[in-house]
Amino acid sequence: MSVESNSPYTVFIDEAERRVAVLDQRLLPHRVEYVDLKNAQEAAEAIRDMTVRGAPLIGVTGAAGMALAADESTETGFLIEAANLLKSARPTAVNLNWAVDFMLKRLKGMEPDRRRKAAWHLAAEICEQERSMSIRLAKHAQTIIEALYLKLGRPLNILTHCNAGKLATVELGTATAGIYTAFEAGIPLTVFADETRPRLQGTLTAWELKAAGVPVCLIADNAGGELMREGGIDLVIVGADRIAANGDTANKIGTYLKALAAADNQIPFYVAAPISTFDWTAKSGGDIPIENRSGDEIRWVRGIDKHGHETEVCITDPGIATVNPSFDVTPARLITGFITDRGVFVPEDLKDLRVNSHV
């Protein structure tokens, strides 16, 4: 699919033409290419191999996968199989389960001859919901950033981990949403982006912020604690892949360590996520499944050599054993608050949020 290289879009759902295209994030920041998805199997593979990534975007892609499945067959049994395939692609990100189950429930309640058209309309609707979600979330996040700026009376230094920006969603992002709008409103700030090994999603945060003109500094994962100890960080905002009912939060591996360092240095630590990221069936972090991925993600690093050629290099003995959990769980006690599309909540308020969320 031909798309301008500076396009901000991460996913295209063409309801009229019944086409889906996604930004291939495995190639970033060195190449910008889009991939057409033809069926539910390809959508599941795009989620599994991280062609698309970020909990909200994974959810949208899952919904698109269900629309593609309806193009193949509108039989209930086939749609159930497609839903199970899609949900198994990434077990930790609850947005995927939410979007796929929403699609399946709505389609099962319709006559088969109505399902194909309805599936595409629902997928496009979920995509638009995620877009408007990030705009609403940005307003609440900006309020926190503005208040801190007024309190300190100087430019702010904000640390984030992984990528919870435009590339992980459909519009402004989650963790970066308020950063974008606060910067546009004239608040002076610099973002410190953890590189986020082993998949280096933090380099994508740095790439997209730089492209938007937001001051950003890429740092090694282990540098964050020292910067906090030195007083060089004023605020930490991260995204989330699943939040339990008590506020325990699963996010990209390394988040827990940043939360510990923030707590030790009395630095506000916020989690930014839409309501769809809350899993009310999970009582605590112990109920959140943690995805374990291939050790090759640790052994091999993709990049550009000094001649400008894309390449992959092995950074260790390829026979060395590895353990590669993709996420960790940050206890609610280390989280200052949750920035959502419905407001800002402290962990103790989540019970009321659950009652009113209807999720």
Side-chain angles (χ1 to χ4, degrees):
M1 183 174 185
S2 176
V3 181
E4 293 297 322
S5 63
N6 62 353
S7 170
Y9 295 106
T10 51
V11 58
F12 294 83
I13 300 177
D14 191 326
E15 185 179 351
E17 297 293 328
R18 300 211 298 269
R19 295 181 66 198
V20 178
V22 295
L23 176 64
D24 190 342
Q25 301 201 26
R26 299 168 301 175
L27 306 179
L28 296 175
H30 310 301
R31 275 190 289 155
V32 175
E33 293 183 9
Y34 286 78
V35 178
D36 281 301
L37 304 180
K38 303 296 186 184
N39 49 50
Q41 177 68 42
E42 290 188 3
E45 290 173 357
I47 294 169
R48 184 177 297 108
D49 68 15
M50 296 178 71
T51 299
V52 296
R53 32 147 309 281
L57 182 58
I58 289 173
V60 172
T61 306
M66 288 298 290
L68 290 167
D71 262 359
E72 296 180 79
S73 173
T74 58
E75 292 297 320
T76 299
F78 183 83
L79 293 175
I80 291 174
E81 290 180 5
N84 290 335
L85 172 68
L86 288 161
K87 290 191 293 184
S88 69
R90 296 293 301 276
T92 302
V94 73
N95 300 63
L96 176 59
N97 286 9
W98 175 85
V100 171
D101 285 341
F102 174 83
M103 294 281 292
L104 183 61
K105 181 178 180 180
R106 293 289 296 273
L107 295 175
K108 285 171 63 178
M110 300 176 183
E111 294 297 321
D113 59 353
R114 294 180 53 208
R115 290 175 177 174
R116 180 171 290 112
K117 181 177 181 181
W120 282 97
H121 180 72
L122 287 170
E125 193 175 75
I126 287 175
C127 186
E128 183 56 37
Q129 286 175 0
E130 289 295 343
R131 188 189 315 279
S132 60
M133 171 280 299
S134 67
I135 294 172
R136 294 194 303 272
L137 188 152
K139 294 179 180 178
H140 299 299
Q142 182 178 337
T143 299
I144 291 172
I145 294 171
E146 287 178 340
L148 186 60
Y149 172 61
L150 291 174
K151 175 182 177 181
L152 298 180
R154 57 170 173 76
L156 300 179
N157 292 327
I158 303 173
L159 184 140
T160 190
H161 187 70
C162 194
N163 175 258
K166 294 179 179 180
L167 295 171
T169 59
V170 186
E171 188 70 28
L172 293 173
T174 53
T176 64
I179 292 173
Y180 280 117
T181 58
F183 179 73
E184 291 173 359
I187 296 177
L189 56 84
T190 298
V191 178
F192 289 81
D194 288 336
E195 60 187 349
T196 318
R197 292 184 182 275
R199 293 294 297 230
L200 301 174
Q201 296 99 323
T203 64
L204 303 184
T205 298
W207 180 68
E208 69 169 67
L209 289 171
K210 179 176 180 290
V214 179
V216 61
C217 182
L218 182 67
I219 62 173
D221 280 1
N222 289 334
E226 176 60 14
L227 291 179
M228 292 189 220
R229 189 192 67 79
E230 293 175 349
I233 300 297
D234 303 306
L235 174 66
V236 181
I237 309 178
V238 301
D241 285 80
R242 189 182 298 231
I243 304 170
N246 72 335
D248 292 351
T249 297
N251 193 48
K252 186 56 58 182
I253 194 73
T255 303
Y256 177 37
L257 297 179
K258 299 303 179 297
L260 287 170
D264 192 48
N265 291 280
Q266 296 80 54
I267 296 170
F269 182 98
Y270 284 91
V271 172
I275 295 298
S276 57
T277 303
F278 287 82
D279 180 3
W280 305 117
T281 68
K283 294 181 180 179
S284 67
D287 297 324
I288 299 176
I290 299 299
E291 176 186 5
N292 285 282
R293 295 181 61 84
S294 169
D296 283 343
E297 292 183 343
I298 297 174
R299 299 183 187 102
W300 293 83
V301 175
R302 182 185 181 91
I304 290 182
D305 64 22
K306 63 181 180 180
H307 303 294
H309 301 142
E310 291 184 35
T311 186
E312 284 188 276
V313 296
C314 184
I315 61 173
T316 186
D317 179 341
I320 288 178
T322 62
V323 177
N324 187 22
S326 192
F327 303 91
D328 58 23
V329 175
T330 298
R333 61 182 171 80
L334 299 177
I335 297 170
T336 305
F338 297 90
I339 307 169
T340 78
D341 47 314
R342 300 189 189 179
V344 181
F345 302 88
V346 297
E348 294 76 19
D349 290 339
L350 293 185
K351 184 178 294 185
D352 294 333
L353 176 62
R354 175 181 182 179
V355 170
N356 296 315
S357 66
H358 305 295
V359 175

